[in-house]
Short mmCIF file of all heavy atoms in Angstrom, two decimals:
data_model
loop_
_atom_site.label_atom_id
_atom_site.label_comp_id
_atom_site.label_asym_id
_atom_site.label_seq_id
_atom_site.Cartn_x
_atom_site.Cartn_y
_atom_site.Cartn_z
N GLY C 159 -12.46 10.25 -9.98
CA GLY C 159 -12.29 11.36 -10.91
C GLY C 159 -11.89 12.66 -10.25
O GLY C 159 -10.94 13.33 -10.68
N VAL C 160 -12.59 13.04 -9.19
CA VAL C 160 -12.30 14.29 -8.48
C VAL C 160 -10.90 14.26 -7.87
O VAL C 160 -10.20 15.28 -7.83
CB VAL C 160 -13.36 14.55 -7.39
CG1 VAL C 160 -12.95 15.71 -6.51
CG2 VAL C 160 -14.70 14.84 -8.03
N ALA C 161 -10.48 13.09 -7.39
CA ALA C 161 -9.17 12.99 -6.75
C ALA C 161 -8.04 13.29 -7.71
O ALA C 161 -6.93 13.64 -7.28
CB ALA C 161 -8.99 11.60 -6.15
N ARG C 162 -8.30 13.16 -9.00
CA ARG C 162 -7.28 13.47 -10.01
C ARG C 162 -7.24 14.96 -10.34
O ARG C 162 -6.31 15.41 -11.01
CB ARG C 162 -7.56 12.69 -11.30
CG ARG C 162 -7.64 11.18 -11.13
CD ARG C 162 -6.31 10.57 -10.76
NE ARG C 162 -6.38 9.11 -10.68
CZ ARG C 162 -5.39 8.35 -10.22
NH1 ARG C 162 -4.25 8.92 -9.82
NH2 ARG C 162 -5.51 7.03 -10.18
N LEU C 163 -8.22 15.70 -9.85
CA LEU C 163 -8.35 17.10 -10.24
C LEU C 163 -8.05 18.09 -9.12
O LEU C 163 -7.83 19.28 -9.39
CB LEU C 163 -9.79 17.36 -10.75
CG LEU C 163 -10.22 16.52 -11.96
CD1 LEU C 163 -11.71 16.71 -12.22
CD2 LEU C 163 -9.41 16.91 -13.19
N LEU C 164 -8.04 17.62 -7.89
CA LEU C 164 -7.81 18.49 -6.73
C LEU C 164 -6.73 17.89 -5.83
O LEU C 164 -6.51 16.68 -5.84
CB LEU C 164 -9.10 18.63 -5.90
CG LEU C 164 -10.26 19.41 -6.50
CD1 LEU C 164 -11.49 19.24 -5.62
CD2 LEU C 164 -9.91 20.88 -6.64
N PRO C 165 -6.04 18.73 -5.04
CA PRO C 165 -5.18 18.17 -3.98
C PRO C 165 -6.03 17.26 -3.10
O PRO C 165 -7.08 17.70 -2.60
CB PRO C 165 -4.70 19.41 -3.23
CG PRO C 165 -4.84 20.53 -4.21
CD PRO C 165 -6.05 20.20 -5.04
N SER C 166 -5.62 16.02 -2.92
CA SER C 166 -6.50 15.01 -2.32
C SER C 166 -5.89 14.36 -1.08
O SER C 166 -4.69 14.10 -1.04
CB SER C 166 -6.85 13.94 -3.35
OG SER C 166 -7.54 14.53 -4.45
N TYR C 167 -6.75 14.07 -0.11
CA TYR C 167 -6.31 13.57 1.18
C TYR C 167 -7.27 12.50 1.69
O TYR C 167 -8.44 12.47 1.32
CB TYR C 167 -6.25 14.73 2.20
CG TYR C 167 -5.41 15.89 1.72
CD1 TYR C 167 -5.94 16.85 0.87
CD2 TYR C 167 -4.08 16.00 2.11
CE1 TYR C 167 -5.17 17.91 0.41
CE2 TYR C 167 -3.29 17.07 1.66
CZ TYR C 167 -3.85 18.01 0.80
OH TYR C 167 -3.07 19.05 0.34
N ALA C 168 -6.77 11.67 2.58
CA ALA C 168 -7.61 10.67 3.24
C ALA C 168 -8.21 11.28 4.50
O ALA C 168 -7.52 11.91 5.29
CB ALA C 168 -6.78 9.44 3.62
N GLY C 169 -9.52 11.09 4.67
CA GLY C 169 -10.17 11.50 5.90
C GLY C 169 -9.81 10.56 7.03
O GLY C 169 -9.13 9.54 6.84
N ARG C 170 -10.28 10.87 8.22
CA ARG C 170 -9.90 10.07 9.40
C ARG C 170 -10.40 8.63 9.33
O ARG C 170 -9.71 7.70 9.74
CB ARG C 170 -10.41 10.73 10.68
CG ARG C 170 -9.78 12.09 10.98
CD ARG C 170 -8.28 12.01 11.05
NE ARG C 170 -7.69 13.29 11.43
CZ ARG C 170 -6.41 13.60 11.26
NH1 ARG C 170 -5.59 12.70 10.69
NH2 ARG C 170 -5.94 14.76 11.63
N LEU C 171 -11.60 8.43 8.80
CA LEU C 171 -12.13 7.07 8.69
C LEU C 171 -11.37 6.29 7.62
O LEU C 171 -11.00 5.13 7.83
CB LEU C 171 -13.62 7.12 8.35
CG LEU C 171 -14.34 5.78 8.21
CD1 LEU C 171 -14.21 4.96 9.47
CD2 LEU C 171 -15.82 6.02 7.88
N MET C 172 -11.12 6.91 6.49
CA MET C 172 -10.31 6.29 5.44
C MET C 172 -8.91 5.95 5.97
O MET C 172 -8.39 4.85 5.73
CB MET C 172 -10.21 7.22 4.24
CG MET C 172 -9.27 6.74 3.14
SD MET C 172 -9.90 5.39 2.13
CE MET C 172 -10.92 6.30 0.95
N GLN C 173 -8.33 6.89 6.69
CA GLN C 173 -6.98 6.68 7.24
C GLN C 173 -6.97 5.49 8.20
O GLN C 173 -6.08 4.62 8.12
CB GLN C 173 -6.53 7.94 7.99
CG GLN C 173 -5.17 7.82 8.65
CD GLN C 173 -4.82 9.05 9.48
OE1 GLN C 173 -5.53 10.06 9.45
NE2 GLN C 173 -3.73 8.98 10.22
N ALA C 174 -7.96 5.43 9.08
CA ALA C 174 -8.02 4.33 10.05
C ALA C 174 -8.18 2.99 9.34
O ALA C 174 -7.56 1.99 9.71
CB ALA C 174 -9.18 4.55 11.02
N GLU C 175 -9.01 2.98 8.31
CA GLU C 175 -9.24 1.75 7.56
C GLU C 175 -7.96 1.28 6.87
O GLU C 175 -7.57 0.11 6.97
CB GLU C 175 -10.34 1.97 6.53
CG GLU C 175 -10.81 0.71 5.83
CD GLU C 175 -12.10 0.16 6.40
OE1 GLU C 175 -12.90 0.93 6.95
OE2 GLU C 175 -12.31 -1.06 6.28
N LEU C 176 -7.29 2.19 6.19
CA LEU C 176 -6.08 1.82 5.45
C LEU C 176 -4.97 1.37 6.40
O LEU C 176 -4.24 0.42 6.10
CB LEU C 176 -5.61 2.99 4.60
CG LEU C 176 -6.56 3.40 3.45
CD1 LEU C 176 -6.00 4.61 2.72
CD2 LEU C 176 -6.78 2.25 2.49
N GLU C 177 -4.85 2.03 7.52
CA GLU C 177 -3.81 1.64 8.49
C GLU C 177 -4.11 0.27 9.09
O GLU C 177 -3.20 -0.55 9.28
CB GLU C 177 -3.69 2.70 9.58
CG GLU C 177 -3.07 4.00 9.07
CD GLU C 177 -3.07 5.12 10.09
OE1 GLU C 177 -3.74 4.97 11.14
OE2 GLU C 177 -2.41 6.15 9.84
N ALA C 178 -5.40 0.01 9.36
CA ALA C 178 -5.77 -1.30 9.91
C ALA C 178 -5.54 -2.41 8.89
O ALA C 178 -5.04 -3.49 9.24
CB ALA C 178 -7.24 -1.28 10.34
N LEU C 179 -5.87 -2.16 7.64
CA LEU C 179 -5.70 -3.18 6.61
C LEU C 179 -4.22 -3.46 6.36
O LEU C 179 -3.82 -4.61 6.14
CB LEU C 179 -6.38 -2.74 5.31
CG LEU C 179 -7.89 -2.50 5.41
CD1 LEU C 179 -8.48 -2.24 4.04
CD2 LEU C 179 -8.59 -3.67 6.07
N ASP C 180 -3.41 -2.43 6.41
CA ASP C 180 -1.98 -2.63 6.25
C ASP C 180 -1.42 -3.45 7.41
O ASP C 180 -0.57 -4.33 7.23
CB ASP C 180 -1.26 -1.28 6.17
CG ASP C 180 0.19 -1.43 5.73
OD1 ASP C 180 0.43 -2.00 4.65
OD2 ASP C 180 1.08 -0.99 6.48
N GLN C 181 -1.93 -3.19 8.60
CA GLN C 181 -1.51 -3.93 9.79
C GLN C 181 -1.94 -5.39 9.71
O GLN C 181 -1.27 -6.28 10.24
CB GLN C 181 -2.11 -3.26 11.04
CG GLN C 181 -1.52 -3.72 12.35
CD GLN C 181 -2.11 -2.96 13.53
OE1 GLN C 181 -3.16 -2.31 13.41
NE2 GLN C 181 -1.47 -3.04 14.67
N ALA C 182 -3.05 -5.64 9.02
CA ALA C 182 -3.59 -7.00 8.94
C ALA C 182 -2.92 -7.86 7.90
O ALA C 182 -2.58 -9.02 8.16
CB ALA C 182 -5.09 -6.95 8.67
N LEU C 183 -2.71 -7.31 6.69
CA LEU C 183 -2.13 -8.13 5.62
C LEU C 183 -0.94 -7.49 4.92
O LEU C 183 -0.13 -8.19 4.32
CB LEU C 183 -3.20 -8.45 4.56
CG LEU C 183 -4.22 -9.53 4.89
CD1 LEU C 183 -5.12 -9.79 3.70
CD2 LEU C 183 -3.55 -10.83 5.33
#
Side-chain angles (χ1 to χ4, degrees):
V160 171
R162 303 293 183 188
L163 300 171
L164 290 171
S166 299
Y167 305 83
R170 295 304 184 197
L171 181 57
M172 174 75 83
Q173 178 185 353
E175 188 100 27
L176 294 178
E177 290 174 349
L179 300 187
D180 191 57
Q181 193 177 15
L183 283 184

